[in-house]
């Protein structure tokens, strides 16, 4: 384990650039430096930051907003080395258990008070951020994955979306709905490299085809018949009926295309629904239906993910950091977002009480229940056909996956772009995975 950890840190530190130190004393008091991923939900938190500062005189907030791939590498390197660049970091359920076990994060359980109501968090989300019975990160929003589809386009084409579609059905629909003349792709799927980008939806497809990254003995399985079938399906679907420039399209790009009416279907994170139904940014408000993640051989195939706030061990003013974390993940924050920006903008998939708010229930009536059901079913026993030696659904829950997953995603993206064949992509990916698997077999 120490050797693998050292290699991971060396890889991450190569790309780490300088950053202003955390906890600087500003003209009005303490400045908390908060590293977050740049997406619409986090932008709302930044816009409301003044509310927190007014309620907490003497604490100033400085947000460092980074694209997802950059954020992962920078936050990992900073937290692992206790560099002190950030007082609060945004991480996911992929990192939380690993980092807690490494001693990199502050145990948040002692900070909870009854009014914060940590028991209100959706159980599967709460457990995914816990280590040895204590929470080491608190969720800002949670998600599974599902499929959005244009009800109007389906009706015009005489098509009916099943309540629980298969991927084969989705491919057939995409072929029928593809309309190059109108600039509408049959489906939008991520092709952008990154273990948290294209690898997230693709791995759920691989899972439901019966594939896995490693067998129980840590033998790499990326050239197995199941993995190959999933890769060929995904690459062919996005090449034949996906969006233009699919090899560089991630969540944000697909979100923009779908919201602008340029895709008939979109398979991605359940959090997408808030953007799709936001009149301020979407041209397809009220035109979408939402169904569970398509399957092939498994009962379900949705992933489980949460963006959450954590406190590095090196944070100096832990009380101030917790006050901010508490504010951004509280019931009151949900009310603030709903009142200020609209109820479709509320961070979803996090607190059970959110789904009891009348205004939110009305705004999210098309997708609230399917989101909760998808999160509830997002467990390995429902989404995988064979046992695996690692945690995670859309990721392999080991430190090396940040590097391994990114390398494999680059191969997948190259296949989507037509630069290499699927077989070539998988052969190279298998070599990467074999080296990781070998290190785990050596330490068993």
């Amino acid at each position: 384990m120490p050797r693998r950890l050292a290699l991971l840190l060396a890889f991450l530190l190569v790309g780490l650039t300088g950053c202003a130190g955390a906890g600087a004393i500003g003209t009005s008091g303490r400045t908390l430096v908060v590293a977050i991923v740049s997406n619409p939900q986090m932008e709302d938190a930044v816009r409301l930051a003044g509310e927190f500062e007014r309620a907490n005189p003497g604490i100033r907030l400085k947000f460092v907003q980074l694209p997802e791939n950059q954020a992962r590498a920078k936050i990992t390197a900073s937290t692992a080395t206790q560099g002190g660049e950030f007082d609060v970091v945004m991480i996911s359920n992929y990192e939380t258990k690993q980092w807690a076990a490494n001693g990199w994060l502050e145990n948040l359980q002692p900070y909870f008070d009854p009014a914060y109501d940590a028991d209100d968090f959706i159980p599967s989300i709460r457990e995914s951020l816990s280590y040895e019975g204590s929470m080491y990160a608190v969720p800002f929003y949670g998600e599974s994955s599902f499929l959005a589809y244009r009800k109007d386009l389906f009706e015009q084409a005489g098509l009916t979306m099943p309540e629980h579609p298969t991927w084969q059905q989705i491919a057939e629909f995409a072929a029928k709905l593809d309309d190059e003349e109108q600039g509408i792709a049959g489906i939008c799927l991520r092709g952008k490299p990154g273990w948290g980008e294209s690898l997230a939806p693709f791995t759920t497809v691989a899972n439901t085809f019966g594939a896995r990254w490693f067998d129980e003995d840590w033998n790499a399985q990326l050239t197995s018949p199941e993995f190959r079938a999933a890769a060929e399906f995904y690459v062919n679907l996005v090449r034949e009926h996906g969006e233009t420039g699919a090899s560089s399209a991630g969540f944000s790009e697909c979100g923009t295309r779908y919201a602008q009416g340029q895709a008939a279907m979109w398979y991605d994170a359940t959090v997408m629904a808030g953007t799709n139904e936001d009149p301020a940014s979407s041209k397809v408000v009220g035109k979408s239906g939402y169904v569970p993640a398509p399957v092939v051989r498994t009962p379900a195939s949705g992933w489980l993910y949460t963006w959450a706030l954590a406190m590095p061990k090196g944070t100096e003013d832990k009380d101030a950091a917790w006050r901010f974390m508490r504010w951004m993940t509280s019931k009151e924050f949900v009310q603030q977002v709903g009142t200020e920006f609209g109820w479709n903008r509320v961070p979803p998939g996090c607190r059970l009480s959110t789904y009891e708010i009348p205004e939110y229930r009305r705004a999210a009536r098309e997708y609230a229940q399917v989101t909760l059901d998808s999160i509830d079913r997002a467990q390995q026993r429902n989404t995988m056909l064979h046992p695996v030696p690692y945690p995670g659904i859309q990721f392999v829950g080991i430190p090396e996956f940040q590097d391994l997953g990114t390398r494999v995603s680059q191969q997948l993206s190259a296949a989507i772009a037509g630069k290499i064949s699927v077989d070539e992509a998988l052969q190279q990916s298998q070599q990467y995975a074999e080296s990781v698997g070998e290190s785990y077999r050596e330490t068993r």
Side-chain angles (χ1 to χ4, degrees):
M1 279 293 187
R3 179 172 67 87
R4 289 200 296 270
L5 183 58
L7 289 172
L8 173 63
L9 291 179
F11 167 76
L12 291 167
L13 286 168
V14 168
L16 186 63
T17 57
C19 176
I25 301 299
T27 56
S28 300
R30 187 123 190 111
T31 297
L32 293 177
V33 182
V34 182
I36 62 173
V37 174
S38 182
N39 73 20
Q41 287 74 28
M42 311 331 174
E43 290 285 352
D44 287 345
V46 173
R47 293 189 186 99
L48 289 172
E51 299 286 335
F52 172 82
E53 292 178 339
R54 282 189 286 275
N56 294 271
I59 301 177
R60 301 288 289 253
L61 299 175
K62 177 183 177 182
F63 290 95
V64 178
Q65 298 174 266
L66 297 166
E68 185 169 324
N69 287 344
Q70 293 180 30
R72 293 182 188 281
K74 192 172 186 67
I75 290 171
T76 300
S78 176
T79 305
T81 59
Q82 300 299 316
E85 287 88 355
F86 308 121
D87 297 292
V88 177
V89 294
M90 180 156 276
I91 62 174
S92 70
N93 51 315
Y94 165 76
E95 294 93 355
T96 301
K97 290 180 185 289
Q98 296 178 50
W99 293 10
N102 292 340
W104 298 352
L105 301 176
E106 189 74 13
N107 183 347
L108 300 179
Q109 207 73 25
Y111 293 91
F112 296 164
D113 60 82
Y116 182 61
D117 195 7
D119 290 338
D120 183 46
F121 292 130
I122 294 173
S124 58
I125 296 293
R126 185 174 66 241
E127 193 283 327
S128 75
L129 299 174
S130 298
Y131 174 70
E132 295 185 342
S134 293
M135 292 188 73
Y136 281 77
V138 284
F140 177 62
Y141 73 69
E143 64 184 35
S144 183
S145 53
F146 61 19
L147 183 92
Y149 68 98
R150 287 278 301 281
K151 294 185 293 185
D152 56 333
L153 297 181
F154 267 70
E155 184 177 354
Q156 292 169 21
L159 302 174
T160 301
M161 175 66 75
E163 290 184 9
H164 296 277
T166 66
W167 272 113
Q168 288 81 3
Q169 289 172 321
I170 295 306
E172 293 173 3
F173 292 150
K176 293 176 180 178
L177 294 167
D178 219 352
D179 190 340
E180 186 174 349
E181 186 175 324
Q182 295 297 319
I184 300 175
I187 190 168
C188 206
L189 290 169
R190 300 190 205 182
K192 188 176 186 177
W195 72 267
E197 277 287 1
S198 61
L199 256 290
F202 169 70
T203 298
T204 67
V205 174
N207 291 340
T208 195
F209 267 78
R212 51 187 172 173
W213 282 73
F214 298 95
D215 67 17
E216 292 181 280
D217 295 318
W218 286 102
N219 296 303
Q221 301 290 298
L222 275 62
T223 52
S224 68
E226 296 87 353
F227 209 99
R228 178 176 283 105
E232 288 176 345
F233 174 85
Y234 192 95
V235 170
N236 290 339
L237 178 58
V238 75
R239 280 179 59 82
E240 294 171 9
H241 306 299
E243 69 278 13
T244 303
S247 62
S248 59
F251 176 84
S252 296
E253 289 79 11
C254 278
T256 298
R257 289 179 182 277
Y258 187 84
Q260 295 304 305
Q262 297 172 358
M265 294 182 289
W266 178 24
Y267 172 62
D268 216 300
T270 53
V271 73
M272 69 154 95
T275 302
N276 295 347
E277 306 302 334
D278 183 3
S281 58
S282 176
K283 295 181 179 179
V284 297
V285 174
K287 297 181 179 181
S288 297
Y290 302 89
V291 291
V295 297
V296 177
R297 301 175 63 189
T298 56
S301 70
W303 69 57
L304 181 68
Y305 196 74
T306 172
W307 279 119
L309 298 179
M311 190 189 307
K313 275 286 188 180
T315 297
E316 292 183 13
D317 193 338
K318 292 181 170 57
D319 288 336
W322 170 247
R323 285 165 70 181
F324 167 73
M325 294 165 68
R326 187 191 191 286
W327 168 77
M328 192 169 158
T329 59
S330 66
K331 295 178 182 179
E332 292 76 16
F333 182 84
V334 170
Q335 293 284 347
Q336 277 187 297
V337 172
T339 302
E340 186 76 19
F341 303 120
W343 290 98
N344 278 306
R345 299 265 285 272
V346 163
C350 180
R351 287 185 171 274
L352 292 167
S353 58
T354 299
Y355 293 83
E356 299 173 358
I357 301 171
E359 295 91 340
Y360 182 73
R361 289 174 65 87
R362 285 195 294 271
R365 59 186 177 276
E366 291 286 350
Y367 58 86
Q369 193 59 51
V370 68
T371 296
L372 283 174
D373 291 345
S374 297
I375 291 174
D376 183 59
R377 301 191 74 193
Q379 302 172 52
Q380 284 189 346
R381 67 174 181 268
N382 296 323
T383 60
M384 294 183 179
L385 204 61
H386 305 292
V388 295
Y390 51 84
I393 296 175
Q394 78 281 16
F395 56 73
V396 178
I398 57 175
E400 295 86 349
F401 192 66
Q402 292 202 50
D403 184 28
L404 170 62
T406 295
R407 288 172 180 263
V408 173
S409 73
Q410 290 167 346
Q411 296 296 315
L412 183 71
S413 182
I416 290 172
K419 296 178 180 178
I420 59 176
S421 68
V422 170
D423 275 343
E424 288 172 325
L426 295 184
Q427 287 292 341
Q428 185 61 62
S429 297
Q430 175 76 2
Q431 292 180 29
Y432 297 146
E434 283 177 349
S435 63
V436 172
E438 181 180 0
S439 70
Y440 278 84
R441 288 195 300 274
E442 289 175 354
T443 57
R444 292 181 63 177

